[in-house]
Amino acid sequence: MTQAPDRAPTSRIPGMRELSPDDRRSAIAAQAALSNADSLALAGRDLLPMTVADGMIENVIGKFELPLGVATNFVVNGKDYLVPMAVEEPSVVAAASYMTRIARDNGGFHASADRPLMRAQIQVLGVKDVHGARHRILEQAPQLIAKANSRDKVLIDLGGGCQRIEVQVFPDTPAGPMVVAHLVVDVRDAMGANTVNTMAEMLAPDIERLTGGKVRLRILSNLADLRLARARVELHPDSLSTDTLNGADVASGVVEACALAIVDPYRAATHNKGIMNGIDPVVIATGNDWRAIEAGAHAYAARDGRYTALTRWELSGTGTLVGTIELPMALGLVGGATKTHPAAQAALKLMQVDSAAELAQVTAAVGLAQNMAALRALATEGIQRGHMALHARNIAIMAGASGAEIDRVAKAIVAAGDISVDRARAEMTQDGG
């Protein structure tokens, strides 16, 4: 069993890159006071029994792995976090860790999150008086809410449950007039899909009786616009300076780069993809539904009828660079793979989050950090220089390098400014000769 640290855990681990994978894992396990079992789970050494995998999804034939890294230096609301990230793309973990080192020196990230409210939709067709039907549903809302809450005493005791009912009317659709009832449910520390879907199924007969129509869909919405997470960072220009640019110019470049994403959906798509480069790996590592998070984020980005950036970067009156992000973040600590997959459980222990809302805040901060890294690179040397340097290890592996040879070849092709498989093979041949 790993012993608890004799001081407050920190996400600042100098020299992390120079350590071996085992030594990195030992370092983060010591900081987070993880057990040996949790440490081994993060190592991914055949930790998921085939019997468990076979019960998680259908037609199982094996298991598929992604590299699991840890982003360091995160401080959110004054608390240090080590952030697990499961991702195959080079530069993601490095960029997040580097940007959070800058943010750390500027007070870290500040974040907040809404209550964990999710929506279930009940679609009704064949209604003659759609507006009258809406009123009849709302008149019976207290009784419907009580029925929805009648079968989940645990959720109610935790302070959750169905909070209210909303009704939308669509007089003219391709399927005819339509009434859609929304159940707004506080799902506490769950993602909430199973809870809200069960409530929708339960109330469907009552909704049919009240409307005189036929219920079709009964399912949650992944546009969790009542469950938003926000993060903010404020950076002094001096902390953004490079060897060739002063910080004020870099800050202005970040604002200008963001401006294009705000007005142009072609840039916004790439801008937001970069944000999700940070968010998705955390969601995957913690066993949450990254597809739901992606769907909610992009739908929210188009909520005003035009697809736009999920972040905003501005210069304050004192010249500091202020970055903000707001997006739906329906994450859970209970249910699904978060309680089934050993690595997901260990990842949550590593993060030391106490609630789904806290996990959402940290994940939003990761997205903001990733966006900051991309915009800073675009405003300085360009995105490819740093990315390709980190990609050099992959190129070396593709060329056939192994073991210690990977780093040697990667450094050689970076120094030569030719990060290609042909150059990597040439380096290997030269060494062999």
Side-chain angles (χ1 to χ4, degrees), residues 2-45:
T2 301
Q3 297 298 313
D6 56 6
R7 54 185 173 77
T10 178
S11 61
R12 179 79 187 114
I13 304 178
M16 184 83 158
R17 184 178 177 182
E18 284 69 40
L19 300 176
S20 70
D22 284 345
D23 287 341
R24 291 178 192 138
R25 196 176 67 257
S26 295
I28 64 103
Q31 287 297 334
L34 297 182
S35 68
N36 290 334
D38 289 330
S39 180
L40 290 174
L42 292 174
R45 295 173 183 168

Side-chain angles (χ1 to χ4, degrees), residues 312-364:
R312 293 292 185 270
W313 291 92
E314 307 163 297
L315 294 176
S316 72
T318 59
T320 57
L321 178 64
V322 181
T324 55
I325 188 171
E326 179 179 72
L327 74 168
M329 197 60 67
L331 300 177
L333 299 184
V334 297
T338 58
K339 285 298 185 183
T340 304
H341 201 298
Q345 297 173 49
L348 288 168
K349 291 178 183 177
L350 170 64
M351 292 186 77
Q352 298 186 353
V353 291
D354 296 325
S355 67
E358 185 181 1
L359 176 59
Q361 291 173 49
V362 175
T363 306

Side-chain angles (χ1 to χ4, degrees), residues 393-410:
R393 287 170 54 85
N394 277 344
I395 297 296
I397 293 170
M398 290 170 62
S402 62
E405 190 177 35
I406 296 172
D407 278 337
R408 185 195 65 78
V409 172

Side-chain angles (χ1 to χ4, degrees), residues 76-77 109-113 230-232 360-362 364-365:
V76 182
N77 293 337
F109 296 88
H110 306 274
S112 63
R230 304 166 199 84
R232 174 179 60 85
Q361 291 173 49
V362 175

Side-chain angles (χ1 to χ4, degrees), residues 152-193:
D152 198 336
K153 186 176 184 303
V154 173
L155 182 62
I156 303 305
D157 289 345
L158 290 173
C162 185
Q163 305 294 302
R164 64 179 184 272
I165 293 178
E166 301 171 353
V167 185
Q168 295 187 354
V169 171
F170 300 96
D172 184 19
T173 81
M178 188 183 301
V179 176
V180 182
H182 286 199
L183 312 183
V184 178
V185 183
D186 186 327
V187 296
R188 298 285 82 195
D189 280 332
M191 181 272 180

Side-chain angles (χ1 to χ4, degrees), residues 275-292:
I275 292 169
M276 304 314 290
N277 273 352
I279 289 175
D280 285 349
V282 183
V283 177
I284 293 170
T286 58
N288 276 281
D289 187 347
W290 63 269
R291 299 159 304 276

Side-chain angles (χ1 to χ4, degrees), residues 67-413:
L68 179 65
V70 175
T72 56
N73 302 321
F74 269 93
V75 175
V76 182
N77 293 337
K79 178 179 175 181
D80 274 70
Y81 293 93
L82 292 163
V83 181
M85 303 178 76
V87 63
E88 85 297 342
E89 183 172 339
S91 80
V92 169
V93 178
S97 298
Y98 182 70
M99 287 301 104
T100 51
R101 173 76 186 278
I102 295 175
R104 182 187 190 90
D105 294 337
N106 285 267
F109 296 88
H110 306 274
S112 63
D114 294 336
R115 290 175 61 194
L117 297 177
M118 298 293 289
R119 297 178 188 266
Q121 295 182 292
I122 303 176
Q123 175 200 32
V124 194
L125 299 176
V127 180
K128 299 299 182 183
D129 58 334
V130 290
H131 295 284
R134 174 178 177 272
H135 279 257
R136 290 192 293 274
I137 293 173
L138 293 176
E139 288 164 8
Q140 292 296 309
Q143 292 89 333
L144 294 171
I145 291 171
K147 183 173 182 178
N149 289 333
S150 63
R151 293 190 185 177
D152 198 336
K153 186 176 184 303
V154 173
L155 182 62
I156 303 305
D157 289 345
L158 290 173
C162 185
Q163 305 294 302
R164 64 179 184 272
I165 293 178
E166 301 171 353
V167 185
Q168 295 187 354
V169 171
F170 300 96
D172 184 19
T173 81
M178 188 183 301
V179 176
V180 182
H182 286 199
L183 312 183
V184 178
V185 183
D186 186 327
V187 296
R188 298 285 82 195
D189 280 332
M191 181 272 180
N194 290 333
T195 298
V196 299
N197 288 345
T198 299
M199 289 183 177
E201 293 281 357
M202 184 189 308
L203 295 188
D206 298 275
I207 297 297
E208 285 189 339
R209 174 178 54 80
L210 290 168
T211 61
K214 180 65 176 177
V215 167
R216 293 299 187 191
L217 299 186
R218 306 171 294 279
I219 191 168
L220 90 160
S221 169
N222 285 125
L223 177 51
D225 57 356
L226 299 175
R227 194 177 184 177
L228 302 178
R230 304 166 199 84
R232 174 179 60 85
V233 68
E234 187 166 351
L235 307 170
H236 193 277
D238 288 348
S239 63
L240 298 169
S241 297
T242 70
D243 292 339
T244 57
L245 292 171
N246 66 61
D249 288 340
V250 175
S252 294
V254 169
V255 172
E256 292 162 358
C258 185
L260 178 58
I262 292 171
V263 301
D264 178 20
Y266 289 94
R267 172 57 198 157
T270 310
H271 180 100
N272 290 343
K273 188 269 183 183
I275 292 169
M276 304 314 290
N277 273 352
I279 289 175
D280 285 349
V282 183
V283 177
I284 293 170
T286 58
N288 276 281
D289 187 347
W290 63 269
R291 299 159 304 276
I293 297 300
E294 280 274 352
H298 294 298
Y300 190 72
R303 65 192 181 280
D304 294 327
R306 181 178 58 83
Y307 188 83
T308 188
L310 287 165
T311 59
R312 293 292 185 270
W313 291 92
E314 307 163 297
L315 294 176
S316 72
T318 59
T320 57
L321 178 64
V322 181
T324 55
I325 188 171
E326 179 179 72
L327 74 168
M329 197 60 67
L331 300 177
L333 299 184
V334 297
T338 58
K339 285 298 185 183
T340 304
H341 201 298
Q345 297 173 49
L348 288 168
K349 291 178 183 177
L350 170 64
M351 292 186 77
Q352 298 186 353
V353 291
D354 296 325
S355 67
E358 185 181 1
L359 176 59
Q361 291 173 49
V362 175
T363 306
V366 176
L368 184 58
Q370 207 72 43
N371 185 233
M372 177 169 67
L375 296 186
R376 180 181 179 275
L378 288 169
T380 53
E381 76 270 14
I383 203 75
Q384 280 298 87
R385 180 178 174 185
H387 177 78
M388 289 306 293
L390 290 167
H391 188 51
R393 287 170 54 85
N394 277 344
I395 297 296
I397 293 170
M398 290 170 62
S402 62
E405 190 177 35
I406 296 172
D407 278 337
R408 185 195 65 78
V409 172
K411 290 177 181 177
I413 62 178

